[in-house]
Amino acid sequence: MSFAVAIDGPAAAGKGTIAKAVAARFGLAHLDTGLLYRAVGARELEGQDPVEAALSLNPEELDESRLRTPEVAQAASRVASQPEVRAALVDFQRAFAARSGGAVLDGRDIGTVICPDAAVKLFVTASPATRARRRFLELSAKGHAVTEAEVLADVEARDARDSGRVAAPLLAAEDAVVLDTSEMSIEEALAAAVAVIEAALEGRG
Ligand code: CDP
C-alpha cells in the first residue's frame, strides 16, 4: 500500500524541516526534490548542459553540503524552468512516491504534477521576511558569509521565477491544506502537519 505525502511551498518556507520530521514520525521515506534541481544547477555552474546533467544524475550520490548555497539555489531555480530538465527528473520522483512503505516528498510541484493523487497535500508558506530570516540564521550557522538582505533578495528572486515559469509553476494544489507558518514556531507547524496526516491515515481505516 503506498501512502504519499506531498509538501510544496516557496523558498525557505520550512518544507524540508517539516518533511524530515513527519517522515521520521510516521516511518516514511523522505525525498527533498529541491536537491535534485540543486544538483543539476551545480553541474550547470560547472559548465555542463543542464538537460544532460538531469539525464545523467544519480540521485543516490548527492553531496548535500555543497548544494545548500545561495549560488546553487539560484542556478537550481534557473534550470528548473526548463521543461526538459523537469521531464528528466519525473520518473525517479514518481517511483520514490510509490514506495510500498510510503513516502514524503517536498518541493514545488509535488501535489500538482508529480503526485496529483497524494494522500496528503500540504502547502507550507510564510512571509518573505520570515523565510529570509530563517534561512539567514540557517546559512550563518553553517558558516556562510551572507547578509539577511542578500538572503531576502535570493528568496524573492526565486519565488518570482518559480511562480512565473510555464513548466510546473509553484502553485498550491486545489486540494492542498495551506499552512502559513509566519506566526508559528517549528513545533507548532509540525503539530499542524502531523494533525493533517493523522486525519488522512484515519480516513483510510
Ligand atoms: O530549500 P529551498 O526552499 O530554498 O529550495 P529547494 O527546495 O532546495 O529548491 C531549489 C530550487 O529548485 C527552487 O527555487 C526551484 O526552482 C527548484 N525546484 C523545483 O522547481 N521543483 C521542485 N520540486 C523542487 C525544487
Side-chain angles (χ1 to χ4, degrees), residues 8-16 32-35 37-38 68 72-74 76-78 80-81 86 93 106-110 114 135 138 154-155 158-159 161-162 165 168:
D8 292 302
K15 305 176 297 289
D32 174 349
T33 65
L35 276 183
Y37 292 92
R38 284 174 182 260
R68 296 240 180 254
V72 171
Q74 282 292 338
S77 156
R78 280 197 307 271
S81 67
R86 306 199 70 83
Q93 296 176 80
D106 71 279
R108 301 291 185 287
D109 63 340
I110 309 304
I114 301 296
R135 182 55 54 88
E138 201 180 306
D154 166 64
V155 159
R158 284 199 287 138
D159 284 356
R161 201 184 289 118
D162 294 349
R165 70 186 176 214

Side-chain angles (χ1 to χ4, degrees), residues 19-202:
K20 247 187 227 132
V22 297
R25 174 161 183 140
F26 293 99
L28 307 167
H30 170 223
L31 178 64
D32 174 349
T33 65
L35 276 183
L36 305 175
Y37 292 92
R38 284 174 182 260
V40 175
R43 299 250 200 115
E44 194 219 25
L45 290 175
E46 289 164 4
Q48 200 176 338
D49 174 69
V51 178
E52 272 170 30
L55 287 167
S56 63
L57 197 71
N58 181 352
E60 316 295 338
E61 281 179 13
L62 303 180
D63 177 0
E64 193 171 341
S65 61
R66 204 174 55 89
L67 300 176
R68 296 240 180 254
T69 69
E71 297 74 29
V72 171
Q74 282 292 338
S77 156
R78 280 197 307 271
V79 299
S81 67
Q82 297 186 27
E84 298 86 351
V85 168
R86 306 199 70 83
L89 301 174
V90 165
D91 288 351
F92 174 75
Q93 296 176 80
R94 289 204 175 131
F96 195 99
R99 283 181 176 212
S100 58
V104 183
L105 286 81
D106 71 279
R108 301 291 185 287
D109 63 340
I110 309 304
T112 50
V113 174
I114 301 296
C115 300
D117 297 327
V120 176
K121 296 182 188 179
L122 293 171
F123 191 83
V124 181
T125 187
S127 69
T130 302
R131 293 186 281 121
R133 176 93 198 136
R134 290 178 186 159
R135 182 55 54 88
F136 166 70
L137 293 173
E138 201 180 306
L139 288 169
S140 305
K142 285 189 197 153
H144 289 285
V146 285
T147 65
E148 199 167 331
E150 284 166 352
V151 177
L152 178 61
D154 166 64
V155 159
E156 288 183 329
R158 284 199 287 138
D159 284 356
R161 201 184 289 118
D162 294 349
S163 304
R165 70 186 176 214
V166 176
L170 167 66
L171 197 69
E174 267 178 30
D175 51 350
V177 175
V178 178
L179 219 59
D180 186 332
T181 68
S182 301
E183 307 295 329
M184 289 183 191
S185 65
I186 179 62
E187 290 77 19
E188 289 168 330
L190 189 55
V194 165
V196 175
I197 297 169
E198 272 172 351
L201 283 168
E202 274 163 27

